[in-house]
Amino acid sequence: MSITAIYPGTFDPITNGHLDLIERASRMFDKIIVGVANSPSKQPLFNLAERVALTEHVTSHLNNVAVIGFSGLLVDLAKAQQASVLVRGVRTVGDFEYEFQLANVNRSLHPDLETIFLAPSEKNSYLSSTIVKEVARHGGSVARFVDDWVAAQLQDKLNQG
């Protein structure tokens, strides 16, 4: 039986923490779909097509990973992709409480969809896209937080704005 999992997020931009979870999940499941959410309410710096391209770039070495941009309910994406598992990263107790609520909502909407939580590696436990953008906005190096190409794209985007 082949198991497809979805790792959803805004990925604005994708960080080494996200990539670590994707790589780990790719060893656990037959196929990983990275679902890049449109998330207009979050007012992302990068548009959806750019975030998909960034994510495709950093995951290109993983043969069982596909990247898809989506809008709407995550459970609808899971149904369309025949995914039975959601992978969610949790760094803090606050993350867990929020993710636990989402898992219960998703289960009520799609009873066959399971959620698993992965803790970040210690070196990425503090990392978030928001922190990466703030460091970059204030002229700090983000080289140890994101892929080199992502860092360059982030700097270009900030220089445009």
mmCIF file of all heavy atoms in Angstrom, residues 3 7 14 16 34 39 46 49 54 56 59-60 72 79 90 103 114-116 120 126 128 133 144:
data_model
loop_
_atom_site.group_PDB
_atom_site.id
_atom_site.type_symbol
_atom_site.label_atom_id
_atom_site.label_comp_id
_atom_site.label_asym_id
_atom_site.label_seq_id
_atom_site.Cartn_x
_atom_site.Cartn_y
_atom_site.Cartn_z
ATOM 1 N N ILE A 3 1.578 5.133 0.563
ATOM 2 C CA ILE A 3 1.049 6.192 1.428
ATOM 3 C C ILE A 3 1.559 7.541 0.946
ATOM 4 O O ILE A 3 2.768 7.770 0.838
ATOM 5 C CB ILE A 3 1.435 5.977 2.901
ATOM 6 C CG1 ILE A 3 0.842 4.654 3.406
ATOM 7 C CG2 ILE A 3 0.963 7.150 3.761
ATOM 8 C CD1 ILE A 3 1.237 4.299 4.821
ATOM 9 N N TYR A 7 2.589 17.864 3.239
ATOM 10 C CA TYR A 7 3.197 18.796 4.184
ATOM 11 C C TYR A 7 2.781 20.191 3.720
ATOM 12 O O TYR A 7 3.326 20.720 2.763
ATOM 13 C CB TYR A 7 4.713 18.628 4.204
ATOM 14 C CG TYR A 7 5.443 19.601 5.113
ATOM 15 C CD1 TYR A 7 5.022 19.837 6.413
ATOM 16 C CD2 TYR A 7 6.558 20.279 4.659
ATOM 17 C CE1 TYR A 7 5.698 20.716 7.242
ATOM 18 C CE2 TYR A 7 7.251 21.162 5.483
ATOM 19 C CZ TYR A 7 6.815 21.375 6.768
ATOM 20 O OH TYR A 7 7.487 22.259 7.590
ATOM 21 N N ILE A 14 10.652 29.291 2.039
ATOM 22 C CA ILE A 14 10.973 27.982 2.591
ATOM 23 C C ILE A 14 12.324 28.067 3.299
ATOM 24 O O ILE A 14 13.264 28.672 2.782
ATOM 25 C CB ILE A 14 10.954 26.887 1.503
ATOM 26 C CG1 ILE A 14 11.102 25.514 2.158
ATOM 27 C CG2 ILE A 14 11.960 27.164 0.388
ATOM 28 C CD1 ILE A 14 10.700 24.367 1.268
ATOM 29 N N ASN A 16 15.471 26.179 5.963
ATOM 30 C CA ASN A 16 16.153 24.905 6.207
ATOM 31 C C ASN A 16 15.358 24.042 7.185
ATOM 32 O O ASN A 16 15.446 22.818 7.130
ATOM 33 C CB ASN A 16 17.564 25.142 6.732
ATOM 34 C CG ASN A 16 18.473 25.721 5.668
ATOM 35 O OD1 ASN A 16 18.190 25.655 4.470
ATOM 36 N ND2 ASN A 16 19.571 26.322 6.090
ATOM 37 N N VAL A 34 4.265 18.677 -1.105
ATOM 38 C CA VAL A 34 4.413 19.924 -0.369
ATOM 39 C C VAL A 34 3.327 20.846 -0.905
ATOM 40 O O VAL A 34 3.365 21.253 -2.069
ATOM 41 C CB VAL A 34 5.822 20.539 -0.543
ATOM 42 C CG1 VAL A 34 5.926 21.837 0.250
ATOM 43 C CG2 VAL A 34 6.894 19.550 -0.118
ATOM 44 N N SER A 39 -2.687 31.511 0.991
ATOM 45 C CA SER A 39 -2.634 32.288 2.240
ATOM 46 C C SER A 39 -2.659 33.806 2.071
ATOM 47 O O SER A 39 -1.821 34.510 2.626
ATOM 48 C CB SER A 39 -1.384 31.907 3.050
ATOM 49 O OG SER A 39 -1.356 30.552 3.353
ATOM 50 N N PHE A 46 6.371 36.765 -0.982
ATOM 51 C CA PHE A 46 6.447 36.136 -2.296
ATOM 52 C C PHE A 46 5.047 35.704 -2.728
ATOM 53 O O PHE A 46 4.270 35.228 -1.905
ATOM 54 C CB PHE A 46 7.346 34.894 -2.256
ATOM 55 C CG PHE A 46 8.798 35.186 -2.034
ATOM 56 C CD1 PHE A 46 9.348 35.123 -0.763
ATOM 57 C CD2 PHE A 46 9.631 35.503 -3.102
ATOM 58 C CE1 PHE A 46 10.690 35.380 -0.555
ATOM 59 C CE2 PHE A 46 10.978 35.758 -2.905
ATOM 60 C CZ PHE A 46 11.514 35.696 -1.626
ATOM 61 N N ALA A 49 3.211 31.610 -7.023
ATOM 62 C CA ALA A 49 4.080 31.000 -8.044
ATOM 63 C C ALA A 49 5.552 31.072 -7.620
ATOM 64 O O ALA A 49 6.312 30.113 -7.833
ATOM 65 C CB ALA A 49 3.876 31.677 -9.392
ATOM 66 N N LEU A 54 10.445 28.423 -5.417
ATOM 67 C CA LEU A 54 11.476 28.316 -4.376
ATOM 68 C C LEU A 54 11.467 26.923 -3.758
ATOM 69 O O LEU A 54 12.521 26.306 -3.551
ATOM 70 C CB LEU A 54 11.253 29.364 -3.283
ATOM 71 C CG LEU A 54 11.472 30.825 -3.650
ATOM 72 C CD1 LEU A 54 10.994 31.746 -2.528
ATOM 73 C CD2 LEU A 54 12.923 31.100 -3.987
ATOM 74 N N GLU A 56 10.185 24.114 -5.069
ATOM 75 C CA GLU A 56 10.629 23.124 -6.057
ATOM 76 C C GLU A 56 12.156 23.100 -6.149
ATOM 77 O O GLU A 56 12.758 22.027 -6.248
ATOM 78 C CB GLU A 56 10.029 23.422 -7.436
ATOM 79 C CG GLU A 56 8.561 23.108 -7.533
ATOM 80 C CD GLU A 56 7.940 23.527 -8.854
ATOM 81 O OE1 GLU A 56 8.451 24.463 -9.520
ATOM 82 O OE2 GLU A 56 6.916 22.922 -9.215
ATOM 83 N N THR A 59 13.748 21.313 -3.087
ATOM 84 C CA THR A 59 13.380 19.901 -2.927
ATOM 85 C C THR A 59 13.693 19.074 -4.167
ATOM 86 O O THR A 59 13.359 17.886 -4.217
ATOM 87 C CB THR A 59 11.883 19.750 -2.588
ATOM 88 O OG1 THR A 59 11.095 20.300 -3.649
ATOM 89 C CG2 THR A 59 11.539 20.430 -1.261
ATOM 90 N N SER A 60 14.355 19.650 -5.153
ATOM 91 C CA SER A 60 14.579 18.962 -6.433
ATOM 92 C C SER A 60 15.412 17.687 -6.291
ATOM 93 O O SER A 60 15.346 16.817 -7.155
ATOM 94 C CB SER A 60 15.228 19.907 -7.443
ATOM 95 O OG SER A 60 16.505 20.311 -6.988
ATOM 96 N N GLY A 72 -7.931 27.202 -0.833
ATOM 97 C CA GLY A 72 -9.067 26.463 -0.309
ATOM 98 C C GLY A 72 -8.687 25.561 0.834
ATOM 99 O O GLY A 72 -7.624 25.711 1.452
ATOM 100 N N LYS A 79 -7.958 15.087 -0.484
ATOM 101 C CA LYS A 79 -8.851 14.202 -1.243
ATOM 102 C C LYS A 79 -8.427 14.137 -2.706
ATOM 103 O O LYS A 79 -8.353 13.056 -3.293
ATOM 104 C CB LYS A 79 -10.300 14.676 -1.117
ATOM 105 C CG LYS A 79 -10.911 14.433 0.247
ATOM 106 C CD LYS A 79 -12.305 15.032 0.339
ATOM 107 C CE LYS A 79 -12.857 14.918 1.747
ATOM 108 N NZ LYS A 79 -14.147 15.627 1.887
ATOM 109 N N VAL A 90 5.995 21.139 14.572
ATOM 110 C CA VAL A 90 5.669 21.874 15.794
ATOM 111 C C VAL A 90 6.958 22.208 16.536
ATOM 112 O O VAL A 90 7.752 21.338 16.831
ATOM 113 C CB VAL A 90 4.687 21.112 16.717
ATOM 114 C CG1 VAL A 90 3.312 21.051 16.109
ATOM 115 C CG2 VAL A 90 5.168 19.722 17.030
ATOM 116 N N ALA A 103 -5.838 19.808 13.491
ATOM 117 C CA ALA A 103 -5.930 18.363 13.254
ATOM 118 C C ALA A 103 -7.341 17.862 13.549
ATOM 119 O O ALA A 103 -7.886 17.041 12.792
ATOM 120 C CB ALA A 103 -4.897 17.619 14.104
ATOM 121 N N GLU A 114 -5.194 11.430 8.654
ATOM 122 C CA GLU A 114 -4.448 11.472 9.914
ATOM 123 C C GLU A 114 -3.428 12.605 9.882
ATOM 124 O O GLU A 114 -2.896 12.935 8.819
ATOM 125 C CB GLU A 114 -3.713 10.153 10.151
ATOM 126 C CG GLU A 114 -4.621 8.994 10.449
ATOM 127 C CD GLU A 114 -5.378 9.136 11.756
ATOM 128 O OE1 GLU A 114 -4.904 9.848 12.668
ATOM 129 O OE2 GLU A 114 -6.451 8.532 11.865
ATOM 130 N N THR A 115 -3.133 13.167 11.026
ATOM 131 C CA THR A 115 -2.098 14.192 11.156
ATOM 132 C C THR A 115 -0.991 13.652 12.038
ATOM 133 O O THR A 115 -1.266 13.094 13.108
ATOM 134 C CB THR A 115 -2.672 15.479 11.792
ATOM 135 O OG1 THR A 115 -3.721 15.982 10.957
ATOM 136 C CG2 THR A 115 -1.604 16.538 11.952
ATOM 137 N N ILE A 116 0.253 13.799 11.567
ATOM 138 C CA ILE A 116 1.395 13.478 12.422
ATOM 139 C C ILE A 116 2.189 14.753 12.643
ATOM 140 O O ILE A 116 2.260 15.614 11.776
ATOM 141 C CB ILE A 116 2.290 12.353 11.851
ATOM 142 C CG1 ILE A 116 2.982 12.804 10.583
ATOM 143 C CG2 ILE A 116 1.516 11.087 11.625
ATOM 144 C CD1 ILE A 116 4.207 11.982 10.280
ATOM 145 N N PRO A 120 11.117 19.807 15.136
ATOM 146 C CA PRO A 120 12.282 20.184 14.338
ATOM 147 C C PRO A 120 13.566 19.641 14.959
ATOM 148 O O PRO A 120 13.608 19.322 16.155
ATOM 149 C CB PRO A 120 12.267 21.713 14.395
ATOM 150 C CG PRO A 120 11.598 22.016 15.686
ATOM 151 C CD PRO A 120 10.579 20.929 15.887
ATOM 152 N N TYR A 126 14.267 27.083 16.422
ATOM 153 C CA TYR A 126 13.864 28.489 16.580
ATOM 154 C C TYR A 126 13.518 29.151 15.248
ATOM 155 O O TYR A 126 13.109 30.303 15.203
ATOM 156 C CB TYR A 126 15.005 29.290 17.224
ATOM 157 C CG TYR A 126 16.261 29.253 16.375
ATOM 158 C CD1 TYR A 126 16.494 30.216 15.410
ATOM 159 C CD2 TYR A 126 17.192 28.222 16.513
ATOM 160 C CE1 TYR A 126 17.612 30.168 14.607
ATOM 161 C CE2 TYR A 126 18.313 28.167 15.719
ATOM 162 C CZ TYR A 126 18.519 29.145 14.770
ATOM 163 O OH TYR A 126 19.631 29.081 13.969
ATOM 164 N N SER A 128 11.870 30.257 11.733
ATOM 165 C CA SER A 128 10.584 30.449 11.063
ATOM 166 C C SER A 128 10.809 31.380 9.877
ATOM 167 O O SER A 128 11.784 32.137 9.836
ATOM 168 C CB SER A 128 9.549 31.062 12.009
ATOM 169 O OG SER A 128 9.857 32.420 12.264
ATOM 170 N N LYS A 133 12.744 36.513 7.365
ATOM 171 C CA LYS A 133 12.451 37.781 6.683
ATOM 172 C C LYS A 133 12.896 38.981 7.515
ATOM 173 O O LYS A 133 13.433 39.953 6.973
ATOM 174 C CB LYS A 133 10.962 37.883 6.353
ATOM 175 C CG LYS A 133 10.550 36.971 5.222
ATOM 176 C CD LYS A 133 9.100 37.129 4.844
ATOM 177 C CE LYS A 133 8.190 36.544 5.899
ATOM 178 N NZ LYS A 133 6.812 36.346 5.479
ATOM 179 N N ARG A 144 22.647 30.758 6.838
ATOM 180 C CA ARG A 144 22.547 29.485 7.585
ATOM 181 C C ARG A 144 21.100 29.066 7.825
ATOM 182 O O ARG A 144 20.853 28.001 8.360
ATOM 183 C CB ARG A 144 23.299 29.585 8.903
ATOM 184 C CG ARG A 144 22.669 30.495 9.908
ATOM 185 C CD ARG A 144 23.488 30.596 11.187
ATOM 186 N NE ARG A 144 23.302 31.944 11.678
ATOM 187 C CZ ARG A 144 24.266 32.824 11.846
ATOM 188 N NH1 ARG A 144 25.503 32.509 11.610
ATOM 189 N NH2 ARG A 144 23.992 34.031 12.269
#
